[in-house]
Amino acid sequence: MNRRLEILRRATEVFQRQGVAETSMEDIARAVGIKREAIYYYFNGRSEILLEIFLPQSRALLHSLRGIVEAEMSPTEKLRAAIRTHLLSFNPSYLEMTVAMREPRLDKNNEKLRELRETWKDYGALWVRIVAEGQRTGGFRPNVDARTIAFGLLGMCNWLSRWFDPAGEISIERIIDDYASLAIDGIGLPVHHA
């Protein structure tokens, strides 16, 4: 494995174990087994490492959601699939990355940062599209704002990073089912029984 890739892999492990905010360049260097200064030969800093880690993951998530949006499914099925895909590809550091992206130390002219932001913008727009489609076709409540609902659902999914323990009592499958039920029951039109 080349050194650059090794740094990215070890940094990912440290970020997941300690959290992004609690990880220093020294921590990453120690995990790789090199001096901190050696990392700067490959990366300008922690922010660049984060971008290198998250951009491929974010692209893959966007690609998966595009497939769901274009699939021949009802909006309810699409919403359930979107929640499932998001949570199955769940990375505990997504929320920390969002916070890290707001840091003034990040190079705002960084091409990878621009691409990451654009990827997330497109990803959010696809969630809005699913909700809006459900409203147009009569499956979801028309009197709610599609963007607010979509971003609320994404926030709910991303907050998992604050409490979910893969080794805990609640499985990711159970969370997917519960979140999907909560979302669909919350924005779906009530079923009237005769």
Side-chain angles (χ1 to χ4, degrees):
M1 168 184 339
N2 73 39
R3 183 56 58 122
R4 185 178 175 84
L5 185 56
E6 183 181 6
I7 291 169
L8 290 173
R9 286 195 179 162
R10 298 300 162 253
T12 300
E13 292 167 1
V14 177
F15 287 145
Q16 288 180 337
R17 187 173 55 249
Q18 296 180 193
V20 172
E22 301 300 320
T23 299
S24 68
M25 292 296 278
E26 185 67 39
D27 294 330
I28 296 168
R30 196 175 310 113
V32 177
I34 60 176
K35 291 184 184 279
R36 183 175 56 104
E37 295 77 16
I39 291 181
Y40 290 101
Y41 177 77
Y42 299 95
F43 298 99
N44 291 329
R46 189 178 69 162
S47 299
E48 188 177 346
I49 293 172
L50 281 168
L51 291 170
E52 289 284 339
I53 292 168
F54 283 101
L55 191 52
Q57 292 177 355
S58 298
R59 284 183 195 132
L61 205 51
L62 177 61
H63 177 75
S64 295
L65 189 58
R66 279 186 179 137
I68 290 167
V69 168
E70 299 302 326
E72 292 294 324
M73 295 189 282
S74 72
T76 299
E77 292 169 322
K78 288 179 184 181
L79 183 57
R80 183 178 295 279
I83 291 170
R84 178 174 194 72
T85 299
H86 189 86
L87 294 182
L88 283 179
S89 62
F90 181 73
N91 183 317
S93 299
Y94 280 150
L95 192 58
E96 284 92 344
M97 182 58 185
T98 302
V99 172
M101 283 179 55
R102 295 185 187 133
E103 287 184 14
R105 293 173 289 175
L106 276 178
D107 177 11
K108 303 301 180 195
N109 296 319
N110 184 304
E111 185 61 37
K112 288 188 187 308
L113 178 60
R114 278 197 297 272
E115 185 181 347
L116 183 62
R117 286 188 170 142
E118 196 61 36
T119 299
W120 284 359
K121 180 180 171 188
D122 292 348
Y123 187 69
L126 290 175
W127 278 78
V128 174
R129 187 171 156 187
I130 291 170
V131 175
E133 181 185 337
Q135 291 175 315
R136 276 192 315 277
T137 60
F140 297 160
R141 298 173 192 270
N143 60 338
V144 295
D145 180 68
R147 187 173 190 270
T148 301
I149 296 303
F151 289 166
L153 293 173
L154 272 172
M156 176 179 73
C157 290
N158 288 336
W159 195 253
L160 208 62
S161 68
R162 293 296 188 201
W163 65 268
F164 179 64
D165 176 6
E169 294 178 19
I170 303 174
S171 72
I172 193 68
E173 289 296 334
R174 172 66 190 267
I175 293 168
I176 290 167
D177 288 344
D178 289 351
Y179 276 24
S181 294
L182 181 65
I184 291 163
D185 292 347
I187 65 172
L189 290 173
V191 177
H192 297 288
H193 300 285

